[in-house]
Amino acid sequence: MATDLEVTHWWTSGAEAAAIGVIADGFQKSGNTWVDGAIAGAGGVARPLITSRITGGDPMGATQFTHGQAMRELIEAGFMRDVTEVAEAQGWKDQIFPQSLLDSCTFEGKLYCVPSNIHSQQWLWLNNAVFTENGLTVPQNWDEFVAAAPTLREKGIIPLAQGQQPWQKQLMFSVLMVSIGGPELFEKVYGELDADYAAGPDVAKVFTAAAEARDLMTGSNVQAWNEAARLVIDGRAAGQIMGDWIQGEFTQSGMKAGEDFSCLPGLGVHEYITAAGDAFYFPKVDDPEIIAAQDILAGVIVSPETQVDFTMAKGALPVRRDVELRDPTPCIEKGMEILKATSWRASTRWYRRIPWAG
């Protein structure tokens, strides 16, 4: 039986809207109706509203949400439905990769969410024309990018576009820690909490890079990450440190990876990226038709067809090991190569300590 299913999410930028549209279209092919509940503003707006509705007795049918304490508390309080039976029936354990994606959705042996994509944060994105049209070589690493800044300033171009929201500044510093300092440095500081090492010369290099980034950002007065991306796309800024979800904004604007824009994983210094992503959760309801629609949506999200189109639109990587992307961009190929050579366990552990927004 067909029913209406309200789905809340905070994917409102151009590429994000196109990506969520892929899931909506797939769901509506089942005969059910997707009722879009987009809420602009992930951290300070969407999450509190979503949580309030669920705890206040007015739950939506499904919601995008991030892993973390807020969702864990909702699960512990009994507000969220587990989708273990759906996962077992559809063989998610055999196809979803890495296992850490399912581990992040698991509580007391039950699966409470559906991973929709893999994202990584440690990237520097560059508008190639900004450099070539001003007599500069497109940088291949952070030092070359910093060296190009004085010439860019002379041309009235902001070297580094960055939104002013706190999570973006936190993300940038975490990226500098992993990319400039390296994976071992990050683990010593955030994992081992080695205070002596944190006060040493290796970490001092990271703070030097952070000071450089602060100077490069002068003039970037926008708030949202996609507004900063627009500065880069339009050529008013040269680059941006942001997660790979930004790639969707570039491609939506008609730019081609490798030709019009470049992507430097690990800022071109330490090519190591973390692996995490988005997920959908399902509040408990008493309506059997809504429950059936929730199960259908869960299957649609991880279906091979959805994974191919959704991840290409969003600029992400698929969560299934058995899908083949159509004409993946050089940036997607870079990400896949690095992640295949990366310890997934370490990647997920670091992710839990890094602010997330994608």
Side-chain angles (χ1 to χ4, degrees):
M1 296 180 66
T3 190
D4 295 344
L5 189 74
E6 182 189 6
V7 184
T8 53
H9 61 89
W10 52 79
W11 286 336
T12 56
S13 76
E16 291 174 335
I20 196 68
V22 171
I23 297 178
D25 290 345
F27 176 70
Q28 298 211 143
K29 288 178 181 178
S30 68
N32 293 287
T33 300
W34 172 287
V35 180
D36 197 72
I39 306 171
V45 180
R47 289 184 184 90
L49 285 176
I50 291 169
T51 301
S52 177
R53 283 193 53 186
I54 293 172
T55 58
D58 181 30
M60 61 294 296
T63 186
Q64 173 207 4
F65 215 82
T66 48
H67 310 298
Q69 186 60 29
M71 182 51 68
R72 183 182 178 88
E73 290 174 355
L74 290 174
I75 293 171
E76 290 177 337
F79 287 108
M80 308 307 293
R81 178 179 167 234
D82 81 80
V83 290
T84 308
E85 290 186 6
V86 178
E88 292 177 346
Q90 297 183 4
W92 292 3
K93 188 174 181 180
D94 296 328
Q95 298 302 341
I96 293 181
F97 180 82
Q99 176 64 35
S100 58
L101 296 177
L102 291 179
D103 291 343
S104 297
C105 288
T106 302
F107 177 72
E108 294 185 346
K110 299 290 186 179
L111 198 68
Y112 283 88
C113 68
V114 184
S116 58
N117 55 273
I118 299 172
H119 271 317
S120 54
Q121 299 183 350
Q122 296 76 18
W123 298 83
L124 174 61
W125 303 88
L126 305 172
N127 183 326
N128 292 349
V130 168
F131 296 93
T132 58
E133 291 177 1
N134 288 289
L136 296 167
T137 301
V138 178
Q140 298 300 305
N141 56 53
W142 176 254
D143 288 341
E144 293 179 5
F145 178 67
V146 173
T151 300
L152 296 172
R153 284 289 188 197
E154 291 175 359
K155 303 293 184 179
I157 297 168
I158 302 168
L160 184 64
Q162 208 72 23
Q164 299 301 306
Q165 295 165 333
W167 72 264
Q168 295 181 65
K169 295 180 180 180
Q170 292 173 345
L171 179 148
M172 184 176 68
F173 185 76
S174 295
V175 169
L176 290 171
M177 287 287 285
V178 175
S179 302
I180 301 299
E184 293 78 13
L185 178 146
F186 193 100
E187 185 60 27
K188 279 181 175 292
V189 175
Y190 288 103
E192 300 173 15
L193 303 179
D194 190 328
D196 291 335
Y197 182 78
D202 291 342
V203 177
K205 294 178 182 178
V206 177
F207 278 92
T208 297
E212 292 172 337
R214 181 184 57 205
D215 293 339
L216 298 176
M217 288 167 53
T218 301
S220 179
N221 297 320
V222 297
Q223 292 295 314
W225 68 268
N226 53 307
E227 293 174 334
R230 175 51 59 183
L231 294 177
V232 180
I233 292 168
D234 292 344
R236 290 176 286 166
Q240 182 177 358
I241 294 174
M242 188 48 61
D244 56 2
W245 53 87
I246 194 178
Q247 185 176 186
E249 300 298 307
F250 283 96
T251 55
Q252 278 274 308
S253 299
M255 301 177 74
K256 293 184 178 180
E259 296 180 20
D260 302 313
F261 68 92
S262 294
C263 51
L264 303 182
L267 310 187
V269 182
H270 288 97
E271 292 192 345
Y272 197 107
I273 56 178
T274 55
D278 299 291
F280 284 81
Y281 291 78
F282 303 91
K284 282 184 178 178
V285 294
D286 294 327
D287 189 333
E289 292 184 8
I290 295 294
I291 294 173
Q294 289 175 332
D295 289 348
I296 290 172
L297 176 59
V300 167
I301 291 170
V302 297
S303 70
E305 298 80 9
T306 299
Q307 282 293 300
V308 170
D309 294 337
F310 173 82
T311 53
M312 291 300 291
K314 201 170 190 296
L317 299 179
V319 299
R320 296 183 65 107
R321 66 173 80 240
D322 60 343
V323 299
E324 183 174 344
L325 299 180
R326 295 187 296 270
D327 299 321
T329 70
C331 299
I332 289 178
E333 290 179 334
K334 278 185 182 181
M336 294 178 72
E337 290 171 4
I338 293 170
L339 291 178
K340 285 178 182 178
T342 292
S343 166
W344 288 101
R345 184 181 300 276
S347 295
T348 305
R349 184 171 66 248
W350 291 352
Y351 153 69
R352 295 193 183 105
R353 301 191 191 106
I354 299 177
W356 185 252

